[in-house]
């Protein structure tokens, strides 16, 4: 093969299958905060003014994001989910915010959020009604896109309830065009594949051309069983969905629920590590005004965020499983590899895992530099392929490491790894 042909093969192996939506946004997985999992459709501002869906909630969250290091860590979008609008459109047919809960209106709120150097996200639905029964956008795509642009909104989460499934794709595509026609860059977060899967296998080429990220699977809950079900679904469908991800468009396994009530600290570490490996949007749904220091530290962990935001923009895969362990690996820029080892056994104590059993370890070649990030940061120094490194992983916890090859035969090994392990996509049985 000529050098040029060889280069082409390498480039095509490294780039996602399709063109991304060309709006210049989401070149890295989106980071921010989204109200749904934690605050749901709480509209009772009389008895619960602190937690109801109101302009106050987003303003307070934005204040904290600036004051408490969230913005600095990379969290940028403050996102409204369902239950914000009034049940009636205005005289011109435009959506309007509930006047009692958003007395200043969305434009004022956007101005406030922008004054903090952050961005504002809003929510609407491709069908007749939103999932919680508020007005849907069907028949109003242009009008609603223009309204959001007029309000200076920066992101739209577009849900798929109350829609004829046969028209779903058309609806999502039309809204994408309507947003584009406003001339304002509005990040477009879809739920198209989630609603399409029961009908047929979604067309991820079209989805990637239309959306900046897309939900594939059920809503996340504040529980380990929910996190596990999302990971299981992702691994079971990775051959279909992983190639679709890359700069400009990402698979969205839903919000981070770290800092709430349902996950142990080990489980929170697992969610953070695996969401970084999956190149997922990092949209937290928690109460940043009242979050425990350990969860905060985890969510702001720069080394994990660096994996999430890696410039190569490749989503990782589950590469091995067995003995109640799972190994997930993500190729990173500068020839590095992130390896996550999840202990799925929910009984007993910490269990040792020989990192040499991870399929990607062969990237180490004759020598590599190893850094452990979770559960504790530790420079493990220069290792060889033969090194026996045993990492200890707590029940439902995850060990996260990065491996940087320093051998001169790196290129051969790197190719071998990514073609052998990922293109064939066979699970190694541990
Ligand atoms: C659906 C979505 C959720 C949330 C709710 C709001 O269930 O998947 O993420 O937006 O609707 O009603």
């Amino acid at each position: 093969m000529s050098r040029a042909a060889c280069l082409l093969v390498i480039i095509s192996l490294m780039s996602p299958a399709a063109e991304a939506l060309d709006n210049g946004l989401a070149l890295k997985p989106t980071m921010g905060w989204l109200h749904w999992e934690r605050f749901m459709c709480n509209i009772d501002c009389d008895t619960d003014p602190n937690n109801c869906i109101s302009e106050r909630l987003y303003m307070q969250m934005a204040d904290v994001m600036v004051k408490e290091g969230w913005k600095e860590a990379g969290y940028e979008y403050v996102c409204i989910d369902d239950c914000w609008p009034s049940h009636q459109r205005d005289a011109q047919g435009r959506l309007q915010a509930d006047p009692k809960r958003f007395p200043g209106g969305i434009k004022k709120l956007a101005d406030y959020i922008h004054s903090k150097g952050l961005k504002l996200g809003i929510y609407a639905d491709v069908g007749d009604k939103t999932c919680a029964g508020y007005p849907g956008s069907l028949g109003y795509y242009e009008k609603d896109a223009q309204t959001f642009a007029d309000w200076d909104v920066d992101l739209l989460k577009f849900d798929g309830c109350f829609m004829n499934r046969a028209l779903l794709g058309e609806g999502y595509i039309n809204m994408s065009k309507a947003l584009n026609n406003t001339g304002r860059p509005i990040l477009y977060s879809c739920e198209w594949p989630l609603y399409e899967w029961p009908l047929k296998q979604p067309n991820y080429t079209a989805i990637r051309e239309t959306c900046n990220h897309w939900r594939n699977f059920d809503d996340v809950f504040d529980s380990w069983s929910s996190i596990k079900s999302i990971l299981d679904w992702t691994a079971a469908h990775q051959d279909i969905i992983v190639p679709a991800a890359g700069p400009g468009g990402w698979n969205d396994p839903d919000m981070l629920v770290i800092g709430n009530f349902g996950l142990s600290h080990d489980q929170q570490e697992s969610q953070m590590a695996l969401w970084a490996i999956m190149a997922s949007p990092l949209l937290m749904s928690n109460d940043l005004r009242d979050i425990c220091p350990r969860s905060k530290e985890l969510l702001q962990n720069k080394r994990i965020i660096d994996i999430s935001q890696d410039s190569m923009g490749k989503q990782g895969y589950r590469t091995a499983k067995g003995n109640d362990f799972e190994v997930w690996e993500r190729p990173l820029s500068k020839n590095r590899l992130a390896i996550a080892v999840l202990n799925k056994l929910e009984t007993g104590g910490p269990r040792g895992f020989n990192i040499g059993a991870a399929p990607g370890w062969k990237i180490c070649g004759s020598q590599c530099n190893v850094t452990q990030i979770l559960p504790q940061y530790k420079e493990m120094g220069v290792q060889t392929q033969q090194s026996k490194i045993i990492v200890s992983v707590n029940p439902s916890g995850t060990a996260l490491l990065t491996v940087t090859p320093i051998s001169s035969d790196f290129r051969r090994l790197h190719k071998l790894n990514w073609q052998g392990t990922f293109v064939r996509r066979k699970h190694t049985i541990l």
Side-chain angles (χ1 to χ4, degrees), residues 36 81-82 123 131-132 157 159 191 195 215 219 254-255:
W36 186 254
D81 207 287
D82 207 344
Y123 167 99
C131 298
K157 171 174 173 177
D159 211 336
E191 300 206 29
Y195 290 91
R215 285 273 310 282
D219 293 1
D254 212 2
M255 294 158 268

Side-chain angles (χ1 to χ4, degrees), residues 374-389:
L374 285 175
Q376 288 95 28
Y377 168 65
K378 190 165 144 200
E379 287 298 345
M380 292 182 151
V382 176
Q383 302 290 339
T384 71
Q385 258 213 74
Q386 283 70 43
S387 307
K388 201 162 184 235
I389 305 180

